[in-house]
Amino acid sequence: MNFSEVIGQQEAQQRLMQMVSEGRLPHAVMLCGPKGSGKLALAVGFAKTLLSKTSNDELMLRKLEHPDLHFTYPTIKLPSMSSDHKPVSDDFAQEWHELIMAGPYFTMNEWLEQMGGENQQAIITAGESDDLIRKLSLKSSQGGYKVSLIWLPERMNIECANKILKLLEEPPSQTIFIMVCEEPDHLLETIRSRVQRIDIKKIADEDIRQALVERRGLTEDMAQRMARMANGNWIKALEMLSTDSENELFLDMFQTLMRLAYQRKVKDLKAWSERMASMGRERQKRFLEYFLRLIRENFMYNFQQAELCYMTEREENFARNFARFINEANILPITDMANLAIRDIGQNANAKIVFFDFALQMIVLLIQK
């Protein structure tokens, strides 16, 4: 069994291996679950396990260079590509290999950055499905399974999805499909009906704590605090470990906003909104999501529910004096305001206007009791 990269998820590992040992392995499995739960790590571990039954080259598997392992993932169109070219996974094989070998826990934003298209929408094209059909029509090079691992199949365009559906209806000989999905409702119902779905839960806090101690060398106290904040998401735990984490910037921006709003410094708030507007839209949305989390944490802190608070030491230090301003009178209006801003940014509204209005409304909302 080869699930060495997986954090926790023993139940899911056992279920996958039981299907193999009992001879009940379906031709298509779909692992569904929240971000950071380890779906891709599980899929890679399972693929390596299946291929190891007929492969004697452990190095080839360890480097994820097995000829019968085929990765499919969302891609973008680069300016250097011709107008009629449909991007395929092979166009970004080197970038994918570098990212996944660094660890099978990463986000779409990290993948976009790796490809060099942070502000683009990545999809799986019809060209990719044609490429996959060709690859899977070949015989297994090792005489065992051929494994098609599809990361985020919900990003297939409709032409690609229909071609993949035909593959699932008439799978090539000795082929196993492993899909790693975060939004299964965005997939064709006909595709969902032809795969065996396995729901992956959030990682247990204890498993994250143990991994932080054993793999990252954290102290027990720090690992416990971070495990609670990660809330079952190993990617979030890794982000908090990063010395150049966005969260440090976001906390600074949050603190500045609240102090300026309390002091009613409109001119400085305008400068704050312009700084926010200078960030990319994806980062703006991530800040607003961070904002929502801290508002919730300060609300709980205000009501002295320490066991329900998930903050870093620095966030908690700020909350000691600030939390009293977040109460039952303004928690819902502030939350609604942030969610509206997320929607507006997602719809390409003028970021300067969105964030300046956001900042001005905070002046009013902070004085509500």
Side-chain angles (χ1 to χ4, degrees), residues 188-221:
L188 293 177
E189 170 60 33
T190 43
I191 288 181
R192 298 202 303 268
S193 67
R194 283 166 175 78
V195 302
Q196 182 164 329
R197 174 171 170 170
I198 298 177
D199 288 315
I200 308 301
K201 301 174 184 176
K202 291 181 178 180
I203 307 172
D205 285 358
E206 173 56 24
D207 289 326
I208 291 182
R209 184 205 63 77
Q210 184 177 347
L212 288 171
V213 172
E214 295 178 356
R215 301 188 186 198
R216 301 289 167 162
L218 269 64
T219 64
E220 290 286 348
D221 179 65

PDB file of all heavy atoms in Angstrom, residues 188-221:
ATOM      1  N   LEU A 188     -21.958  16.571 -15.323  1.00  0.00           N
ATOM      2  CA  LEU A 188     -23.143  15.980 -15.948  1.00  0.00           C
ATOM      3  C   LEU A 188     -23.691  14.859 -15.065  1.00  0.00           C
ATOM      4  O   LEU A 188     -22.934  14.045 -14.540  1.00  0.00           O
ATOM      5  CB  LEU A 188     -22.796  15.408 -17.324  1.00  0.00           C
ATOM      6  CG  LEU A 188     -22.398  16.388 -18.438  1.00  0.00           C
ATOM      7  CD1 LEU A 188     -22.020  15.609 -19.691  1.00  0.00           C
ATOM      8  CD2 LEU A 188     -23.534  17.354 -18.726  1.00  0.00           C
ATOM      9  N   GLU A 189     -24.990  14.827 -14.923  1.00  0.00           N
ATOM     10  CA  GLU A 189     -25.625  13.767 -14.129  1.00  0.00           C
ATOM     11  C   GLU A 189     -25.278  12.399 -14.702  1.00  0.00           C
ATOM     12  O   GLU A 189     -25.093  11.429 -13.956  1.00  0.00           O
ATOM     13  CB  GLU A 189     -27.137  13.979 -14.115  1.00  0.00           C
ATOM     14  CG  GLU A 189     -27.934  12.818 -13.532  1.00  0.00           C
ATOM     15  CD  GLU A 189     -27.554  12.514 -12.084  1.00  0.00           C
ATOM     16  OE1 GLU A 189     -27.201  13.455 -11.352  1.00  0.00           O
ATOM     17  OE2 GLU A 189     -27.607  11.328 -11.701  1.00  0.00           O
ATOM     18  N   THR A 190     -25.185  12.304 -16.018  1.00  0.00           N
ATOM     19  CA  THR A 190     -24.862  11.023 -16.654  1.00  0.00           C
ATOM     20  C   THR A 190     -23.460  10.547 -16.286  1.00  0.00           C
ATOM     21  O   THR A 190     -23.201   9.345 -16.199  1.00  0.00           O
ATOM     22  CB  THR A 190     -24.996  11.135 -18.182  1.00  0.00           C
ATOM     23  OG1 THR A 190     -24.417  12.375 -18.611  1.00  0.00           O
ATOM     24  CG2 THR A 190     -26.448  11.103 -18.600  1.00  0.00           C
ATOM     25  N   ILE A 191     -22.537  11.493 -16.070  1.00  0.00           N
ATOM     26  CA  ILE A 191     -21.193  11.109 -15.627  1.00  0.00           C
ATOM     27  C   ILE A 191     -21.243  10.660 -14.176  1.00  0.00           C
ATOM     28  O   ILE A 191     -20.666   9.629 -13.808  1.00  0.00           O
ATOM     29  CB  ILE A 191     -20.204  12.285 -15.799  1.00  0.00           C
ATOM     30  CG1 ILE A 191     -19.897  12.496 -17.290  1.00  0.00           C
ATOM     31  CG2 ILE A 191     -18.908  12.020 -15.023  1.00  0.00           C
ATOM     32  CD1 ILE A 191     -18.917  13.619 -17.570  1.00  0.00           C
ATOM     33  N   ARG A 192     -21.953  11.409 -13.336  1.00  0.00           N
ATOM     34  CA  ARG A 192     -22.044  11.048 -11.910  1.00  0.00           C
ATOM     35  C   ARG A 192     -22.662   9.668 -11.717  1.00  0.00           C
ATOM     36  O   ARG A 192     -22.291   8.938 -10.791  1.00  0.00           O
ATOM     37  CB  ARG A 192     -22.864  12.092 -11.143  1.00  0.00           C
ATOM     38  CG  ARG A 192     -22.268  13.485 -11.165  1.00  0.00           C
ATOM     39  CD  ARG A 192     -22.785  14.323 -10.001  1.00  0.00           C
ATOM     40  NE  ARG A 192     -24.219  14.435  -9.972  1.00  0.00           N
ATOM     41  CZ  ARG A 192     -24.916  15.424 -10.543  1.00  0.00           C
ATOM     42  NH1 ARG A 192     -24.259  16.377 -11.212  1.00  0.00           N
ATOM     43  NH2 ARG A 192     -26.221  15.482 -10.459  1.00  0.00           N
ATOM     44  N   SER A 193     -23.565   9.302 -12.619  1.00  0.00           N
ATOM     45  CA  SER A 193     -24.245   8.009 -12.477  1.00  0.00           C
ATOM     46  C   SER A 193     -23.369   6.834 -12.897  1.00  0.00           C
ATOM     47  O   SER A 193     -23.700   5.684 -12.624  1.00  0.00           O
ATOM     48  CB  SER A 193     -25.534   8.008 -13.296  1.00  0.00           C
ATOM     49  OG  SER A 193     -25.246   8.057 -14.690  1.00  0.00           O
ATOM     50  N   ARG A 194     -22.239   7.125 -13.555  1.00  0.00           N
ATOM     51  CA  ARG A 194     -21.371   6.053 -14.059  1.00  0.00           C
ATOM     52  C   ARG A 194     -20.075   5.907 -13.267  1.00  0.00           C
ATOM     53  O   ARG A 194     -19.167   5.215 -13.693  1.00  0.00           O
ATOM     54  CB  ARG A 194     -21.074   6.280 -15.547  1.00  0.00           C
ATOM     55  CG  ARG A 194     -22.263   5.891 -16.425  1.00  0.00           C
ATOM     56  CD  ARG A 194     -22.138   6.413 -17.841  1.00  0.00           C
ATOM     57  NE  ARG A 194     -23.221   5.917 -18.674  1.00  0.00           N
ATOM     58  CZ  ARG A 194     -24.456   6.396 -18.667  1.00  0.00           C
ATOM     59  NH1 ARG A 194     -24.760   7.396 -17.853  1.00  0.00           N
ATOM     60  NH2 ARG A 194     -25.390   5.881 -19.448  1.00  0.00           N
ATOM     61  N   VAL A 195     -20.003   6.579 -12.136  1.00  0.00           N
ATOM     62  CA  VAL A 195     -18.826   6.448 -11.279  1.00  0.00           C
ATOM     63  C   VAL A 195     -19.271   6.055  -9.878  1.00  0.00           C
ATOM     64  O   VAL A 195     -20.407   6.312  -9.483  1.00  0.00           O
ATOM     65  CB  VAL A 195     -18.018   7.771 -11.218  1.00  0.00           C
ATOM     66  CG1 VAL A 195     -17.575   8.208 -12.600  1.00  0.00           C
ATOM     67  CG2 VAL A 195     -18.834   8.879 -10.556  1.00  0.00           C
ATOM     68  N   GLN A 196     -18.382   5.416  -9.157  1.00  0.00           N
ATOM     69  CA  GLN A 196     -18.665   5.118  -7.748  1.00  0.00           C
ATOM     70  C   GLN A 196     -18.116   6.260  -6.906  1.00  0.00           C
ATOM     71  O   GLN A 196     -16.906   6.478  -6.842  1.00  0.00           O
ATOM     72  CB  GLN A 196     -18.033   3.795  -7.313  1.00  0.00           C
ATOM     73  CG  GLN A 196     -18.355   3.462  -5.860  1.00  0.00           C
ATOM     74  CD  GLN A 196     -18.094   2.012  -5.522  1.00  0.00           C
ATOM     75  OE1 GLN A 196     -18.219   1.131  -6.386  1.00  0.00           O
ATOM     76  NE2 GLN A 196     -17.752   1.742  -4.282  1.00  0.00           N
ATOM     77  N   ARG A 197     -19.010   6.969  -6.287  1.00  0.00           N
ATOM     78  CA  ARG A 197     -18.618   8.155  -5.517  1.00  0.00           C
ATOM     79  C   ARG A 197     -18.201   7.765  -4.098  1.00  0.00           C
ATOM     80  O   ARG A 197     -18.883   6.989  -3.428  1.00  0.00           O
ATOM     81  CB  ARG A 197     -19.770   9.153  -5.472  1.00  0.00           C
ATOM     82  CG  ARG A 197     -19.530  10.356  -4.583  1.00  0.00           C
ATOM     83  CD  ARG A 197     -20.614  11.391  -4.766  1.00  0.00           C
ATOM     84  NE  ARG A 197     -20.521  12.448  -3.755  1.00  0.00           N
ATOM     85  CZ  ARG A 197     -21.222  13.572  -3.794  1.00  0.00           C
ATOM     86  NH1 ARG A 197     -22.057  13.799  -4.813  1.00  0.00           N
ATOM     87  NH2 ARG A 197     -21.094  14.482  -2.842  1.00  0.00           N
ATOM     88  N   ILE A 198     -17.086   8.321  -3.672  1.00  0.00           N
ATOM     89  CA  ILE A 198     -16.621   8.141  -2.295  1.00  0.00           C
ATOM     90  C   ILE A 198     -16.434   9.530  -1.699  1.00  0.00           C
ATOM     91  O   ILE A 198     -15.645  10.332  -2.198  1.00  0.00           O
ATOM     92  CB  ILE A 198     -15.290   7.359  -2.241  1.00  0.00           C
ATOM     93  CG1 ILE A 198     -15.490   5.951  -2.821  1.00  0.00           C
ATOM     94  CG2 ILE A 198     -14.774   7.279  -0.808  1.00  0.00           C
ATOM     95  CD1 ILE A 198     -14.211   5.126  -2.872  1.00  0.00           C
ATOM     96  N   ASP A 199     -17.193   9.830  -0.660  1.00  0.00           N
ATOM     97  CA  ASP A 199     -17.113  11.140  -0.029  1.00  0.00           C
ATOM     98  C   ASP A 199     -15.983  11.160   0.995  1.00  0.00           C
ATOM     99  O   ASP A 199     -15.928  10.319   1.893  1.00  0.00           O
ATOM    100  CB  ASP A 199     -18.442  11.498   0.647  1.00  0.00           C
ATOM    101  CG  ASP A 199     -19.527  11.820  -0.373  1.00  0.00           C
ATOM    102  OD1 ASP A 199     -19.236  12.563  -1.318  1.00  0.00           O
ATOM    103  OD2 ASP A 199     -20.659  11.307  -0.243  1.00  0.00           O
ATOM    104  N   ILE A 200     -15.110  12.135   0.848  1.00  0.00           N
ATOM    105  CA  ILE A 200     -13.961  12.288   1.739  1.00  0.00           C
ATOM    106  C   ILE A 200     -14.269  13.386   2.755  1.00  0.00           C
ATOM    107  O   ILE A 200     -14.648  14.498   2.382  1.00  0.00           O
ATOM    108  CB  ILE A 200     -12.687  12.658   0.941  1.00  0.00           C
ATOM    109  CG1 ILE A 200     -12.470  11.665  -0.212  1.00  0.00           C
ATOM    110  CG2 ILE A 200     -11.478  12.701   1.866  1.00  0.00           C
ATOM    111  CD1 ILE A 200     -12.321  10.224   0.214  1.00  0.00           C
ATOM    112  N   LYS A 201     -14.122  13.069   4.025  1.00  0.00           N
ATOM    113  CA  LYS A 201     -14.425  14.034   5.085  1.00  0.00           C
ATOM    114  C   LYS A 201     -13.237  14.966   5.315  1.00  0.00           C
ATOM    115  O   LYS A 201     -12.133  14.741   4.827  1.00  0.00           O
ATOM    116  CB  LYS A 201     -14.741  13.284   6.381  1.00  0.00           C
ATOM    117  CG  LYS A 201     -15.911  12.314   6.276  1.00  0.00           C
ATOM    118  CD  LYS A 201     -16.058  11.523   7.566  1.00  0.00           C
ATOM    119  CE  LYS A 201     -17.160  10.482   7.450  1.00  0.00           C
ATOM    120  NZ  LYS A 201     -17.261   9.642   8.674  1.00  0.00           N
ATOM    121  N   LYS A 202     -13.478  16.013   6.095  1.00  0.00           N
ATOM    122  CA  LYS A 202     -12.372  16.850   6.543  1.00  0.00           C
ATOM    123  C   LYS A 202     -11.397  15.988   7.337  1.00  0.00           C
ATOM    124  O   LYS A 202     -11.793  14.986   7.946  1.00  0.00           O
ATOM    125  CB  LYS A 202     -12.890  17.978   7.447  1.00  0.00           C
ATOM    126  CG  LYS A 202     -13.721  19.030   6.736  1.00  0.00           C
ATOM    127  CD  LYS A 202     -14.147  20.092   7.745  1.00  0.00           C
ATOM    128  CE  LYS A 202     -14.947  21.195   7.080  1.00  0.00           C
ATOM    129  NZ  LYS A 202     -15.366  22.238   8.068  1.00  0.00           N
ATOM    130  N   ILE A 203     -10.139  16.388   7.346  1.00  0.00           N
ATOM    131  CA  ILE A 203      -9.138  15.649   8.117  1.00  0.00           C
ATOM    132  C   ILE A 203      -9.367  15.905   9.606  1.00  0.00           C
ATOM    133  O   ILE A 203      -9.661  17.036  10.013  1.00  0.00           O
ATOM    134  CB  ILE A 203      -7.712  16.097   7.729  1.00  0.00           C
ATOM    135  CG1 ILE A 203      -7.517  16.004   6.207  1.00  0.00           C
ATOM    136  CG2 ILE A 203      -6.659  15.258   8.449  1.00  0.00           C
ATOM    137  CD1 ILE A 203      -6.217  16.615   5.722  1.00  0.00           C
ATOM    138  N   ALA A 204      -9.238  14.877  10.413  1.00  0.00           N
ATOM    139  CA  ALA A 204      -9.408  15.022  11.858  1.00  0.00           C
ATOM    140  C   ALA A 204      -8.343  15.959  12.419  1.00  0.00           C
ATOM    141  O   ALA A 204      -7.182  15.925  11.996  1.00  0.00           O
ATOM    142  CB  ALA A 204      -9.326  13.657  12.534  1.00  0.00           C
ATOM    143  N   ASP A 205      -8.742  16.802  13.372  1.00  0.00           N
ATOM    144  CA  ASP A 205      -7.790  17.742  13.983  1.00  0.00           C
ATOM    145  C   ASP A 205      -6.567  17.025  14.536  1.00  0.00           C
ATOM    146  O   ASP A 205      -5.439  17.517  14.428  1.00  0.00           O
ATOM    147  CB  ASP A 205      -8.476  18.523  15.121  1.00  0.00           C
ATOM    148  CG  ASP A 205      -9.419  19.596  14.600  1.00  0.00           C
ATOM    149  OD1 ASP A 205      -9.514  19.768  13.362  1.00  0.00           O
ATOM    150  OD2 ASP A 205     -10.073  20.264  15.429  1.00  0.00           O
ATOM    151  N   GLU A 206      -6.787  15.855  15.130  1.00  0.00           N
ATOM    152  CA  GLU A 206      -5.678  15.117  15.726  1.00  0.00           C
ATOM    153  C   GLU A 206      -4.670  14.673  14.671  1.00  0.00           C
ATOM    154  O   GLU A 206      -3.463  14.690  14.902  1.00  0.00           O
ATOM    155  CB  GLU A 206      -6.206  13.900  16.497  1.00  0.00           C
ATOM    156  CG  GLU A 206      -5.145  12.955  17.030  1.00  0.00           C
ATOM    157  CD  GLU A 206      -4.120  13.641  17.938  1.00  0.00           C
ATOM    158  OE1 GLU A 206      -4.428  14.698  18.535  1.00  0.00           O
ATOM    159  OE2 GLU A 206      -2.990  13.120  18.044  1.00  0.00           O
ATOM    160  N   ASP A 207      -5.164  14.302  13.486  1.00  0.00           N
ATOM    161  CA  ASP A 207      -4.257  13.894  12.403  1.00  0.00           C
ATOM    162  C   ASP A 207      -3.434  15.079  11.906  1.00  0.00           C
ATOM    163  O   ASP A 207      -2.245  14.942  11.589  1.00  0.00           O
ATOM    164  CB  ASP A 207      -5.051  13.280  11.244  1.00  0.00           C
ATOM    165  CG  ASP A 207      -5.619  11.912  11.592  1.00  0.00           C
ATOM    166  OD1 ASP A 207      -4.955  11.173  12.338  1.00  0.00           O
ATOM    167  OD2 ASP A 207      -6.723  11.586  11.130  1.00  0.00           O
ATOM    168  N   ILE A 208      -4.069  16.250  11.825  1.00  0.00           N
ATOM    169  CA  ILE A 208      -3.337  17.451  11.420  1.00  0.00           C
ATOM    170  C   ILE A 208      -2.309  17.829  12.487  1.00  0.00           C
ATOM    171  O   ILE A 208      -1.161  18.160  12.174  1.00  0.00           O
ATOM    172  CB  ILE A 208      -4.307  18.619  11.146  1.00  0.00           C
ATOM    173  CG1 ILE A 208      -5.133  18.326   9.886  1.00  0.00           C
ATOM    174  CG2 ILE A 208      -3.542  19.937  10.989  1.00  0.00           C
ATOM    175  CD1 ILE A 208      -6.083  19.431   9.486  1.00  0.00           C
ATOM    176  N   ARG A 209      -2.714  17.778  13.745  1.00  0.00           N
ATOM    177  CA  ARG A 209      -1.787  18.098  14.839  1.00  0.00           C
ATOM    178  C   ARG A 209      -0.572  17.187  14.794  1.00  0.00           C
ATOM    179  O   ARG A 209       0.573  17.644  14.877  1.00  0.00           O
ATOM    180  CB  ARG A 209      -2.500  17.950  16.195  1.00  0.00           C
ATOM    181  CG  ARG A 209      -1.623  18.351  17.387  1.00  0.00           C
ATOM    182  CD  ARG A 209      -2.065  17.659  18.657  1.00  0.00           C
ATOM    183  NE  ARG A 209      -1.936  16.212  18.564  1.00  0.00           N
ATOM    184  CZ  ARG A 209      -0.784  15.559  18.669  1.00  0.00           C
ATOM    185  NH1 ARG A 209       0.353  16.211  18.865  1.00  0.00           N
ATOM    186  NH2 ARG A 209      -0.745  14.237  18.578  1.00  0.00           N
ATOM    187  N   GLN A 210      -0.816  15.899  14.638  1.00  0.00           N
ATOM    188  CA  GLN A 210       0.279  14.927  14.611  1.00  0.00           C
ATOM    189  C   GLN A 210       1.206  15.178  13.422  1.00  0.00           C
ATOM    190  O   GLN A 210       2.438  15.116  13.551  1.00  0.00           O
ATOM    191  CB  GLN A 210      -0.299  13.518  14.543  1.00  0.00           C
ATOM    192  CG  GLN A 210       0.756  12.430  14.611  1.00  0.00           C
ATOM    193  CD  GLN A 210       0.127  11.029  14.611  1.00  0.00           C
ATOM    194  OE1 GLN A 210      -1.074  10.871  14.789  1.00  0.00           O
ATOM    195  NE2 GLN A 210       0.947  10.023  14.412  1.00  0.00           N
ATOM    196  N   ALA A 211       0.627  15.489  12.256  1.00  0.00           N
ATOM    197  CA  ALA A 211       1.439  15.749  11.067  1.00  0.00           C
ATOM    198  C   ALA A 211       2.278  17.017  11.231  1.00  0.00           C
ATOM    199  O   ALA A 211       3.424  17.081  10.786  1.00  0.00           O
ATOM    200  CB  ALA A 211       0.538  15.869   9.836  1.00  0.00           C
ATOM    201  N   LEU A 212       1.713  18.026  11.874  1.00  0.00           N
ATOM    202  CA  LEU A 212       2.453  19.266  12.101  1.00  0.00           C
ATOM    203  C   LEU A 212       3.647  19.041  13.029  1.00  0.00           C
ATOM    204  O   LEU A 212       4.716  19.623  12.848  1.00  0.00           O
ATOM    205  CB  LEU A 212       1.525  20.331  12.689  1.00  0.00           C
ATOM    206  CG  LEU A 212       0.494  20.933  11.724  1.00  0.00           C
ATOM    207  CD1 LEU A 212      -0.499  21.799  12.474  1.00  0.00           C
ATOM    208  CD2 LEU A 212       1.183  21.735  10.622  1.00  0.00           C
ATOM    209  N   VAL A 213       3.465  18.177  14.012  1.00  0.00           N
ATOM    210  CA  VAL A 213       4.556  17.866  14.939  1.00  0.00           C
ATOM    211  C   VAL A 213       5.616  17.010  14.261  1.00  0.00           C
ATOM    212  O   VAL A 213       6.817  17.313  14.315  1.00  0.00           O
ATOM    213  CB  VAL A 213       4.013  17.157  16.198  1.00  0.00           C
ATOM    214  CG1 VAL A 213       5.166  16.653  17.063  1.00  0.00           C
ATOM    215  CG2 VAL A 213       3.130  18.100  17.011  1.00  0.00           C
ATOM    216  N   GLU A 214       5.168  15.935  13.580  1.00  0.00           N
ATOM    217  CA  GLU A 214       6.109  14.960  13.027  1.00  0.00           C
ATOM    218  C   GLU A 214       6.759  15.415  11.717  1.00  0.00           C
ATOM    219  O   GLU A 214       7.938  15.157  11.482  1.00  0.00           O
ATOM    220  CB  GLU A 214       5.385  13.630  12.803  1.00  0.00           C
ATOM    221  CG  GLU A 214       4.910  12.978  14.103  1.00  0.00           C
ATOM    222  CD  GLU A 214       4.153  11.686  13.852  1.00  0.00           C
ATOM    223  OE1 GLU A 214       3.930  11.347  12.658  1.00  0.00           O
ATOM    224  OE2 GLU A 214       3.766  11.025  14.839  1.00  0.00           O
ATOM    225  N   ARG A 215       5.996  16.106  10.868  1.00  0.00           N
ATOM    226  CA  ARG A 215       6.521  16.468   9.548  1.00  0.00           C
ATOM    227  C   ARG A 215       7.072  17.890   9.496  1.00  0.00           C
ATOM    228  O   ARG A 215       7.906  18.194   8.642  1.00  0.00           O
ATOM    229  CB  ARG A 215       5.417  16.325   8.489  1.00  0.00           C
ATOM    230  CG  ARG A 215       4.839  14.924   8.392  1.00  0.00           C
ATOM    231  CD  ARG A 215       3.907  14.807   7.210  1.00  0.00           C
ATOM    232  NE  ARG A 215       3.228  13.512   7.164  1.00  0.00           N
ATOM    233  CZ  ARG A 215       2.637  13.008   6.093  1.00  0.00           C
ATOM    234  NH1 ARG A 215       2.628  13.711   4.978  1.00  0.00           N
ATOM    235  NH2 ARG A 215       2.032  11.828   6.127  1.00  0.00           N
ATOM    236  N   ARG A 216       6.576  18.759  10.384  1.00  0.00           N
ATOM    237  CA  ARG A 216       6.973  20.162  10.323  1.00  0.00           C
ATOM    238  C   ARG A 216       7.706  20.639  11.569  1.00  0.00           C
ATOM    239  O   ARG A 216       8.137  21.785  11.624  1.00  0.00           O
ATOM    240  CB  ARG A 216       5.729  21.038  10.096  1.00  0.00           C
ATOM    241  CG  ARG A 216       4.969  20.691   8.812  1.00  0.00           C
ATOM    242  CD  ARG A 216       5.735  21.116   7.586  1.00  0.00           C
ATOM    243  NE  ARG A 216       5.182  20.519   6.364  1.00  0.00           N
ATOM    244  CZ  ARG A 216       5.417  20.957   5.138  1.00  0.00           C
ATOM    245  NH1 ARG A 216       6.208  22.010   4.983  1.00  0.00           N
ATOM    246  NH2 ARG A 216       4.908  20.357   4.097  1.00  0.00           N
ATOM    247  N   GLY A 217       7.815  19.778  12.572  1.00  0.00           N
ATOM    248  CA  GLY A 217       8.598  20.096  13.751  1.00  0.00           C
ATOM    249  C   GLY A 217       8.006  21.134  14.676  1.00  0.00           C
ATOM    250  O   GLY A 217       8.740  21.795  15.432  1.00  0.00           O
ATOM    251  N   LEU A 218       6.686  21.318  14.655  1.00  0.00           N
ATOM    252  CA  LEU A 218       6.054  22.286  15.537  1.00  0.00           C
ATOM    253  C   LEU A 218       5.975  21.759  16.969  1.00  0.00           C
ATOM    254  O   LEU A 218       5.967  20.546  17.195  1.00  0.00           O
ATOM    255  CB  LEU A 218       4.643  22.628  15.049  1.00  0.00           C
ATOM    256  CG  LEU A 218       4.516  23.815  14.083  1.00  0.00           C
ATOM    257  CD1 LEU A 218       5.230  23.515  12.779  1.00  0.00           C
ATOM    258  CD2 LEU A 218       3.056  24.147  13.836  1.00  0.00           C
ATOM    259  N   THR A 219       5.882  22.674  17.924  1.00  0.00           N
ATOM    260  CA  THR A 219       5.650  22.276  19.305  1.00  0.00           C
ATOM    261  C   THR A 219       4.216  21.794  19.450  1.00  0.00           C
ATOM    262  O   THR A 219       3.354  22.117  18.620  1.00  0.00           O
ATOM    263  CB  THR A 219       5.875  23.460  20.262  1.00  0.00           C
ATOM    264  OG1 THR A 219       4.899  24.478  19.966  1.00  0.00           O
ATOM    265  CG2 THR A 219       7.279  24.033  20.109  1.00  0.00           C
ATOM    266  N   GLU A 220       3.944  21.049  20.488  1.00  0.00           N
ATOM    267  CA  GLU A 220       2.601  20.505  20.706  1.00  0.00           C
ATOM    268  C   GLU A 220       1.565  21.625  20.801  1.00  0.00           C
ATOM    269  O   GLU A 220       0.475  21.530  20.224  1.00  0.00           O
ATOM    270  CB  GLU A 220       2.576  19.656  21.976  1.00  0.00           C
ATOM    271  CG  GLU A 220       3.333  18.343  21.868  1.00  0.00           C
ATOM    272  CD  GLU A 220       2.574  17.315  21.030  1.00  0.00           C
ATOM    273  OE1 GLU A 220       1.386  17.546  20.734  1.00  0.00           O
ATOM    274  OE2 GLU A 220       3.179  16.286  20.671  1.00  0.00           O
ATOM    275  N   ASP A 221       1.891  22.693  21.530  1.00  0.00           N
ATOM    276  CA  ASP A 221       0.931  23.778  21.736  1.00  0.00           C
ATOM    277  C   ASP A 221       0.626  24.493  20.425  1.00  0.00           C
ATOM    278  O   ASP A 221      -0.546  24.740  20.098  1.00  0.00           O
ATOM    279  CB  ASP A 221       1.480  24.782  22.759  1.00  0.00           C
ATOM    280  CG  ASP A 221       0.520  25.935  22.986  1.00  0.00           C
ATOM    281  OD1 ASP A 221      -0.577  25.688  23.509  1.00  0.00           O
ATOM    282  OD2 ASP A 221       0.864  27.079  22.618  1.00  0.00           O
TER     283      ASP A 221
END
